[in-house]
Amino acid sequence: MPRVLVFALALVGAALLGATDGSAVQSQNVKLFGTVGPGFFITLKDQQGNRVTNVQPGTYDIEVKDLSEEHNFHLNGPGVDRMTPVGSEITESWTVTFTEGTYRYNCDPHFTTMRGSFTVGDVPPPPPPPPPPPVTAKKLVLTSGPGFVITLKTATGKAVKTIKRGSYTMVVRDRGPTHNAHVVAPGFNRKTTPLTYTGTQTWKVKLGKTGTLRFLCDPHAARGMKGSAKIVS
């Protein structure tokens, strides 16, 4: 056989081999399947029929079936922005390369309800939510005396006229040797000892029901050393 013919056949064989190798490389792409319609649903699944939630970076072949004229399939993310047309029922094949990040697919005319997403690569999880703000203790201050006055105020000094149900820390200041401090509310009744006690105490007060909270000096309630606050929800 002439050398020229042998050389030509070798070139043809190499070309065919190259084409075969190229096809083999292409066939190694993972295949995904996108579907939109005919109803109001849109999906992207893998070869096993599972919804795609995470894939590794690389090149993928996607078969897209647009089964409704009123919808389309739109895929976008880092380096990718492909879509089928609205107004046509069509099947397309896309070859796309995914890099790390988040990709989304949706129907443009109905993007608020027909949509989905997936991540590519080891996308870090979202940061944890910030810690809740510290709970500020609900503090009340009850002062009896030293004169013939008794008051119930908030920690900022505002007189308490209404108070919400809940648990409170009440600082009780008995300032007069002839007075006492007495608190009465639904499910709560506590007082300091009149005539024998002067000082400061801290009470835990739980107001579990609506009604009225009354505070008074027992020996001198008739002289006006009393008050009340409405307990509300």
Side-chain angles (χ1 to χ4, degrees):
M1 182 181 297
R3 290 186 178 182
V4 175
L5 181 57
V6 172
F7 182 71
L9 291 174
L11 288 177
V12 171
L16 291 174
L17 181 60
T20 302
D21 290 345
S23 299
V25 170
Q26 289 182 356
S27 67
Q28 292 177 1
N29 292 341
V30 176
K31 194 167 185 178
L32 305 177
F33 303 87
T35 305
V36 60
F40 283 83
F41 74 93
I42 187 169
T43 62
L44 182 66
K45 296 183 177 181
D46 60 20
Q47 291 175 301
Q48 288 72 45
N50 302 311
R51 184 173 68 89
V52 174
T53 58
N54 176 266
V55 297
Q56 291 303 306
T59 300
Y60 291 77
D61 294 329
I62 305 178
E63 180 183 284
V64 180
K65 291 185 177 181
D66 185 341
L67 303 178
S68 174
E69 293 183 357
E70 63 179 322
H71 302 315
N72 77 328
F73 192 101
H74 187 177
L75 173 66
N76 67 91
V80 175
D81 191 2
R82 300 290 299 270
M83 70 188 78
T84 60
V86 179
S88 300
E89 294 183 19
I90 191 172
T91 298
E92 294 187 0
S93 296
W94 302 340
T95 298
V96 299
T97 299
F98 294 141
T99 58
E100 286 197 349
T102 299
Y103 288 77
R104 295 175 174 83
Y105 54 92
N106 61 272
C107 166
D108 290 323
H110 309 102
F111 68 93
T112 58
T113 55
M114 297 177 64
R115 59 186 179 183
S117 65
F118 60 96
T119 58
V120 176
D122 299 324
V123 178
V135 177
T136 303
K138 293 181 285 188
K139 187 176 179 181
L140 302 172
V141 180
L142 176 64
T143 304
S144 180
F148 287 85
V149 178
I150 188 168
T151 60
L152 180 64
K153 297 182 178 181
T154 65
T156 59
K158 184 178 179 180
V160 176
K161 299 299 181 182
T162 60
I163 185 171
K164 289 187 176 183
R165 291 187 302 130
S167 297
Y168 294 83
T169 297
M170 182 179 291
V171 177
V172 180
R173 304 190 300 182
D174 187 339
R175 291 292 184 260
T178 62
H179 303 313
N180 80 328
H182 189 178
V183 175
V184 182
F188 185 87
N189 189 338
R190 187 170 178 178
K191 59 185 176 181
T192 60
T193 305
L195 306 180
T196 61
Y197 176 81
T198 301
T200 300
Q201 299 180 11
T202 301
W203 299 347
K204 299 295 184 182
V205 181
K206 184 176 182 179
L207 304 176
K209 298 180 179 180
T210 58
T212 301
L213 180 149
R214 296 187 297 115
F215 54 95
L216 65 147
C217 167
D218 290 317
H220 305 108
R223 297 184 60 177
M225 291 188 68
K226 61 183 178 178
S228 65
K230 185 178 181 181
I231 306 169
V232 298
S233 297

mmCIF file of all heavy atoms in Angstrom, residues 10-31:
data_model
loop_
_atom_site.group_PDB
_atom_site.id
_atom_site.type_symbol
_atom_site.label_atom_id
_atom_site.label_comp_id
_atom_site.label_asym_id
_atom_site.label_seq_id
_atom_site.Cartn_x
_atom_site.Cartn_y
_atom_site.Cartn_z
ATOM 1 N N ALA A 10 -4.278 6.957 8.405
ATOM 2 C CA ALA A 10 -3.897 7.225 9.800
ATOM 3 C C ALA A 10 -4.511 8.526 10.284
ATOM 4 O O ALA A 10 -4.983 8.642 11.411
ATOM 5 C CB ALA A 10 -2.373 7.255 9.932
ATOM 6 N N LEU A 11 -4.501 9.527 9.397
ATOM 7 C CA LEU A 11 -5.089 10.817 9.779
ATOM 8 C C LEU A 11 -6.592 10.682 10.008
ATOM 9 O O LEU A 11 -7.151 11.253 10.955
ATOM 10 C CB LEU A 11 -4.820 11.870 8.687
ATOM 11 C CG LEU A 11 -3.375 12.365 8.568
ATOM 12 C CD1 LEU A 11 -3.242 13.339 7.413
ATOM 13 C CD2 LEU A 11 -2.928 13.021 9.876
ATOM 14 N N VAL A 12 -7.252 9.929 9.107
ATOM 15 C CA VAL A 12 -8.691 9.717 9.273
ATOM 16 C C VAL A 12 -8.989 8.995 10.578
ATOM 17 O O VAL A 12 -9.913 9.340 11.322
ATOM 18 C CB VAL A 12 -9.258 8.944 8.067
ATOM 19 C CG1 VAL A 12 -10.710 8.538 8.342
ATOM 20 C CG2 VAL A 12 -9.155 9.781 6.806
ATOM 21 N N GLY A 13 -8.169 7.973 10.873
ATOM 22 C CA GLY A 13 -8.366 7.223 12.117
ATOM 23 C C GLY A 13 -8.169 8.106 13.329
ATOM 24 O O GLY A 13 -8.920 8.032 14.305
ATOM 25 N N ALA A 14 -7.146 8.966 13.281
ATOM 26 C CA ALA A 14 -6.903 9.868 14.402
ATOM 27 C C ALA A 14 -8.054 10.838 14.577
ATOM 28 O O ALA A 14 -8.472 11.154 15.702
ATOM 29 C CB ALA A 14 -5.596 10.628 14.178
ATOM 30 N N ALA A 15 -8.578 11.331 13.447
ATOM 31 C CA ALA A 15 -9.697 12.268 13.525
ATOM 32 C C ALA A 15 -10.922 11.588 14.130
ATOM 33 O O ALA A 15 -11.630 12.162 14.958
ATOM 34 C CB ALA A 15 -10.017 12.813 12.139
ATOM 35 N N LEU A 16 -11.179 10.335 13.671
ATOM 36 C CA LEU A 16 -12.319 9.615 14.230
ATOM 37 C C LEU A 16 -12.133 9.342 15.713
ATOM 38 O O LEU A 16 -13.071 9.432 16.509
ATOM 39 C CB LEU A 16 -12.518 8.294 13.477
ATOM 40 C CG LEU A 16 -12.995 8.431 12.024
ATOM 41 C CD1 LEU A 16 -13.007 7.051 11.339
ATOM 42 C CD2 LEU A 16 -14.395 9.056 11.980
ATOM 43 N N LEU A 17 -10.901 8.999 16.091
ATOM 44 C CA LEU A 17 -10.606 8.748 17.495
ATOM 45 C C LEU A 17 -10.810 10.000 18.316
ATOM 46 O O LEU A 17 -11.379 9.987 19.417
ATOM 47 C CB LEU A 17 -9.173 8.233 17.647
ATOM 48 C CG LEU A 17 -8.734 7.896 19.092
ATOM 49 C CD1 LEU A 17 -9.644 6.813 19.687
ATOM 50 C CD2 LEU A 17 -7.264 7.454 19.111
ATOM 51 N N GLY A 18 -10.349 11.132 17.745
ATOM 52 C CA GLY A 18 -10.537 12.398 18.451
ATOM 53 C C GLY A 18 -12.002 12.722 18.618
ATOM 54 O O GLY A 18 -12.452 13.189 19.661
ATOM 55 N N ALA A 19 -12.789 12.469 17.554
ATOM 56 C CA ALA A 19 -14.220 12.739 17.656
ATOM 57 C C ALA A 19 -14.865 11.846 18.697
ATOM 58 O O ALA A 19 -15.719 12.266 19.479
ATOM 59 C CB ALA A 19 -14.886 12.550 16.297
ATOM 60 N N THR A 20 -14.431 10.569 18.708
ATOM 61 C CA THR A 20 -14.970 9.630 19.694
ATOM 62 C C THR A 20 -14.625 10.069 21.099
ATOM 63 O O THR A 20 -15.449 10.057 22.014
ATOM 64 C CB THR A 20 -14.425 8.216 19.428
ATOM 65 O OG1 THR A 20 -14.778 7.844 18.104
ATOM 66 C CG2 THR A 20 -15.004 7.228 20.431
ATOM 67 N N ASP A 21 -13.358 10.505 21.300
ATOM 68 C CA ASP A 21 -12.937 10.949 22.627
ATOM 69 C C ASP A 21 -13.727 12.170 23.049
ATOM 70 O O ASP A 21 -14.144 12.309 24.202
ATOM 71 C CB ASP A 21 -11.440 11.272 22.637
ATOM 72 C CG ASP A 21 -10.594 10.000 22.499
ATOM 73 O OD1 ASP A 21 -11.188 8.917 22.701
ATOM 74 O OD2 ASP A 21 -9.392 10.112 22.193
ATOM 75 N N GLY A 22 -13.954 13.084 22.093
ATOM 76 C CA GLY A 22 -14.722 14.288 22.427
ATOM 77 C C GLY A 22 -16.140 13.941 22.841
ATOM 78 O O GLY A 22 -16.680 14.498 23.787
ATOM 79 N N SER A 23 -16.746 12.981 22.133
ATOM 80 C CA SER A 23 -18.092 12.566 22.494
ATOM 81 C C SER A 23 -18.105 11.938 23.870
ATOM 82 O O SER A 23 -19.032 12.140 24.662
ATOM 83 C CB SER A 23 -18.639 11.571 21.462
ATOM 84 O OG SER A 23 -18.698 12.190 20.177
ATOM 85 N N ALA A 24 -17.053 11.173 24.158
ATOM 86 C CA ALA A 24 -16.978 10.542 25.471
ATOM 87 C C ALA A 24 -16.893 11.578 26.554
ATOM 88 O O ALA A 24 -17.509 11.474 27.610
ATOM 89 C CB ALA A 24 -15.777 9.592 25.531
ATOM 90 N N VAL A 25 -16.123 12.664 26.298
ATOM 91 C CA VAL A 25 -16.000 13.719 27.295
ATOM 92 C C VAL A 25 -17.344 14.388 27.511
ATOM 93 O O VAL A 25 -17.777 14.634 28.630
ATOM 94 C CB VAL A 25 -14.930 14.751 26.865
ATOM 95 C CG1 VAL A 25 -14.965 15.969 27.780
ATOM 96 C CG2 VAL A 25 -13.555 14.113 26.857
ATOM 97 N N GLN A 26 -18.047 14.675 26.363
ATOM 98 C CA GLN A 26 -19.334 15.322 26.497
ATOM 99 C C GLN A 26 -20.327 14.437 27.230
ATOM 100 O O GLN A 26 -21.136 14.910 28.006
ATOM 101 C CB GLN A 26 -19.873 15.689 25.121
ATOM 102 C CG GLN A 26 -19.103 16.839 24.457
ATOM 103 C CD GLN A 26 -19.698 17.215 23.117
ATOM 104 O OE1 GLN A 26 -20.637 16.572 22.651
ATOM 105 N NE2 GLN A 26 -19.152 18.245 22.504
ATOM 106 N N SER A 27 -20.285 13.148 26.982
ATOM 107 C CA SER A 27 -21.238 12.247 27.608
ATOM 108 C C SER A 27 -21.014 12.137 29.108
ATOM 109 O O SER A 27 -21.864 11.642 29.829
ATOM 110 C CB SER A 27 -21.158 10.858 26.966
ATOM 111 O OG SER A 27 -19.900 10.251 27.251
ATOM 112 N N GLN A 28 -19.862 12.609 29.599
ATOM 113 C CA GLN A 28 -19.587 12.541 31.014
ATOM 114 C C GLN A 28 -20.284 13.657 31.794
ATOM 115 O O GLN A 28 -20.301 13.644 33.024
ATOM 116 C CB GLN A 28 -18.072 12.589 31.257
ATOM 117 C CG GLN A 28 -17.346 11.353 30.770
ATOM 118 C CD GLN A 28 -15.843 11.466 30.967
ATOM 119 O OE1 GLN A 28 -15.358 12.469 31.483
ATOM 120 N NE2 GLN A 28 -15.113 10.449 30.549
ATOM 121 N N ASN A 29 -20.838 14.652 31.087
ATOM 122 C CA ASN A 29 -21.553 15.708 31.785
ATOM 123 C C ASN A 29 -22.771 15.134 32.496
ATOM 124 O O ASN A 29 -23.520 14.347 31.927
ATOM 125 C CB ASN A 29 -22.020 16.790 30.806
ATOM 126 C CG ASN A 29 -20.864 17.572 30.209
ATOM 127 O OD1 ASN A 29 -19.754 17.566 30.743
ATOM 128 N ND2 ASN A 29 -21.112 18.237 29.100
ATOM 129 N N VAL A 30 -22.953 15.535 33.740
ATOM 130 C CA VAL A 30 -24.156 15.123 34.470
ATOM 131 C C VAL A 30 -25.367 15.784 33.835
ATOM 132 O O VAL A 30 -25.324 16.956 33.452
ATOM 133 C CB VAL A 30 -24.038 15.520 35.954
ATOM 134 C CG1 VAL A 30 -25.320 15.182 36.701
ATOM 135 C CG2 VAL A 30 -22.843 14.823 36.595
ATOM 136 N N LYS A 31 -26.452 15.043 33.727
ATOM 137 C CA LYS A 31 -27.649 15.561 33.074
ATOM 138 C C LYS A 31 -28.707 15.908 34.108
ATOM 139 O O LYS A 31 -28.953 15.147 35.059
ATOM 140 C CB LYS A 31 -28.199 14.542 32.082
ATOM 141 C CG LYS A 31 -29.231 15.124 31.118
ATOM 142 C CD LYS A 31 -29.497 14.168 29.957
ATOM 143 C CE LYS A 31 -30.431 14.812 28.923
ATOM 144 N NZ LYS A 31 -30.681 13.926 27.768
#
